[in-house]
């Protein structure tokens, strides 16, 4: 279904979602430990049907080791339209030398001047996306 005045929201195919993930570099990682939700901003790269980000020791990494089920969201907004892609899947720390060396070759650098030696991979199980046509609110009455 195309977006228009009557249907301002269009659901995206998996291929369209991957195109947007590949074009994006910043998103939000959502996790839950003992029923307590957390969300973290991360820069990432989409490669080989997975998402990769870097992190350091701390709460985010600890939470991933307790519960590897995550949700990840990235989005974009323009003048006339916006979009959002949500990935649900499993996260794991890359731990073999081969995996780490391959990840080191990706163009993924921290956004802030911090040392982040740990690579985390999200393997998607479900990917959903929507594109939104922006505009004024329709008449209500």
């Amino acid at each position: 279904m195309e977006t228009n005045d009557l249907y301002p929201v269009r659901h995206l195919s998996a291929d369209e979602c991957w195109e947007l993930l590949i074009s994006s570099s910043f998103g939000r990682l959502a996790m839950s430990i003992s029923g307590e939700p957390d969300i973290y901003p991360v820069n990432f790269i989409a490669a080989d049907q997975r998402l990769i980000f870097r992190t350091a020791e701390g709460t985010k990494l600890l939470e991933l080791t307790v519960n590897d089920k995550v949700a990840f969201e990235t989005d974009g907004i323009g003048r006339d339209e916006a979009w959002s892609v949500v990935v649900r899947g499993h996260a794991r720390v890359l731990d073999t030398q081969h995996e780490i060396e391959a990840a080191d070759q990706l163009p993924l650098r921290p956004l802030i001047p911090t040392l982040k030696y740990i690579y985390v991979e999200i393997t998607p199980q479900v990917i959903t996306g929507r594109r939104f046509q922006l505009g004024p609110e329709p008449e209500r009455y």
Side-chain angles (χ1 to χ4, degrees):
M1 179 183 315
E2 284 298 314
T3 57
N4 61 43
D5 290 340
L6 296 176
Y7 302 104
V9 178
R10 183 172 67 87
H11 293 272
L12 301 175
S13 70
D15 287 340
E16 290 172 306
C17 289
W18 276 110
E19 286 178 25
L20 291 168
L21 286 165
I22 289 168
S23 73
S24 189
S25 63
F26 187 79
R28 285 149 289 287
L29 176 69
M31 302 178 269
S32 180
I33 304 298
S34 300
E36 293 295 321
D38 259 327
I39 192 160
Y40 299 94
V42 296
N43 65 306
F44 74 100
I45 190 165
D48 302 322
Q49 300 290 300
R50 61 199 177 122
L51 307 178
I52 305 285
F53 66 92
R54 290 170 62 176
T55 191
E57 297 285 339
T59 305
K60 184 184 338 159
L61 186 60
L62 178 63
E63 289 183 18
L64 287 172
T65 61
V66 173
N67 181 4
D68 71 341
K69 292 180 183 177
V70 299
F72 182 86
E73 191 271 346
T74 186
D75 52 44
I77 188 164
R79 185 174 170 182
D80 299 320
E81 69 175 18
W83 58 268
S84 172
V85 173
V86 174
V87 173
R88 289 177 183 81
H90 294 275
R92 72 176 189 88
V93 173
L94 300 183
D95 57 3
T96 70
Q97 191 62 35
H98 175 73
E99 291 174 321
I100 294 166
E101 287 172 359
D104 276 338
Q105 301 305 310
L106 297 172
L108 179 61
R109 304 292 174 258
L111 292 178
I112 58 175
T114 57
L115 296 175
K116 296 183 177 180
Y117 293 114
I118 301 166
Y119 288 99
V120 176
E121 167 189 271
I122 299 172
T123 303
Q125 291 186 308
V126 177
I127 299 175
T128 58
R130 297 181 294 170
R131 190 173 294 279
F132 311 97
Q133 179 180 324
L134 303 179
E137 180 180 21
E139 285 294 320
R140 298 172 105 187
Y141 305 105

